[in-house]
Structure formats: structure tokens, C-alpha cells
Amino acid sequence: AIVLEEFNRNRDKVQSMMTRSINARFREVRDAINEHGRNENKEKILSELDNITHQVPIVNELATQTFDAILALMQSGKIIEPSAATKESAIERALSKRAPFHRKKNSVADALIIEMYGQEAAIAAPKDYYCFVTHNTKDFSNTKGDDRHPHDDISEFFNGQNSQYFINLQSALTANLPEDIAELDFEFNFDNTPRPLSEVLTYLNQLHDQIWYNRHKNREYL
């Protein structure tokens, strides 16, 4: 429930940042080419950049669809609310300065998340399998060595059999569903590049003329 709440709270901000970042990068590149471009390929490069810029709305729309798909996936899963026991365990972590409170920052939400995970993993049946996946290596990962391993303060939740720790989703999926990931990689990395703007404009102009001609003849008829 906490992950879902944070996802919804930060979604619009992240999407906005992604859009601004892409547009800003293109502006920086164009400005650099205009200022420093000296050879005969300058106009060609700018034209190609315009073609790529034309595809930015497509990229933004794909990002929106991805956010929608992630949200639907999380909402379809089992929603776990923090219990009184979970909150008590998180408070004990804070008082004893154990991870994720070892960095002197407000980590209550993180503590509740890892405590809820630990409680679920503790009651797992032999056929159940749990993965804790996080990019937040500073709060959850080993601080003295390989950050692919959990911090010592939470290592009790990961037995390596039906509960494992990962720092990115790709490694978690590859470790557990290698054949499925290979199929998805082929499907989503299939080259289906949109046509460049210069090529599309030719057909747009032709379509414009055809529509104008059709309307002109209709007016003559009327």
C-alpha cells in the first residue's frame, strides 16, 4: 500500500521531469550545432535532429502508457497494509538506528516497507517465492561491500531460497524467468522505427492538396 501511494503521489512529477529532460536535451544539442557547426553537414544534422524531435511526443505517450501499465499491475496484486506490529517493529528500528535509519534521515516509509516484506516472507509456504527489488541501495544495501547484497540489519529477511534481494527489476526477472525475459527482449526490442518527419511531410503535403481539391470540386458542384 505504501509503494502504491508513493507511486501515485510522484507519478505526475516524474512524467513532467522526463518530458522536460527530453526537450531540454534536444534544445541543448540544437544550440550547440548552431553555434559550433561549421561544415557542409550542419543543415543535414539539423534536419535529422528535427526528425528525431518530431518523435518526442511518441516517446512521451509511450512513457504514459508504461506508467498506466505499472499502476494496473500493482493494483491487481495483493495490497498489504501496515499492521500495528509492523509499525512497532519500524519504531524499534528507528530507536536502535538500524537500517534504513542508519543514515540519519526520515526513513519511516522505507522501514514499514521492509518490515511488511519481512513478515510476509516469514510466513511463506515452501512453494512461495519472494523478491525485494529496490534502487535505494543507500538505505537497503550492504554498506561495506557489494551493494547487490542486503544490509546486515535486514539480511535476516533473505534466506536465498524463497526470499532474495535485488537492486533492479531486470536482474530479478532474469534470475527467475530467463526464458520469458528472452522472449520479451525480442518482442520489445524489435526495430520498428517511426518514419522521419522529412519523409512524412511529403505525404502530408500531398494529402493536403488532395483534400483541398476535393473540397474545391464540392463547392463547384454546390
Side-chain angles (χ1 to χ4, degrees), residues 181-215:
I181 291 302
E183 292 181 7
L184 288 172
D185 184 61
F186 175 80
E187 178 181 349
F188 289 105
N189 289 324
F190 177 74
D191 187 13
N192 189 20
T193 306
R195 291 185 177 185
L197 178 61
S198 57
E199 183 179 343
V200 173
L201 282 177
T202 302
Y203 296 99
L204 286 176
N205 292 332
Q206 179 182 344
L207 180 61
H208 178 272
D209 292 340
Q210 290 172 339
I211 293 174
W212 176 87
Y213 182 79
N214 180 266
R215 290 176 178 175

Side-chain angles (χ1 to χ4, degrees), residues 2 6 86-87 89-95 97-116 132 136 138-140 154:
I2 295 174
E6 292 187 352
T86 302
K87 294 176 182 178
S89 297
I91 292 173
E92 291 177 358
R93 280 188 175 275
L95 293 174
K97 305 298 182 184
R98 291 186 295 145
F101 291 102
H102 60 293
R103 298 180 57 226
K104 298 180 180 180
K105 58 185 285 288
N106 184 354
S107 300
V108 173
D110 290 335
L112 288 173
I113 290 171
I114 191 61
E115 285 293 343
M116 283 190 287
F132 186 83
N136 187 359
K138 291 183 178 180
D139 282 343
F140 293 114
I154 61 173

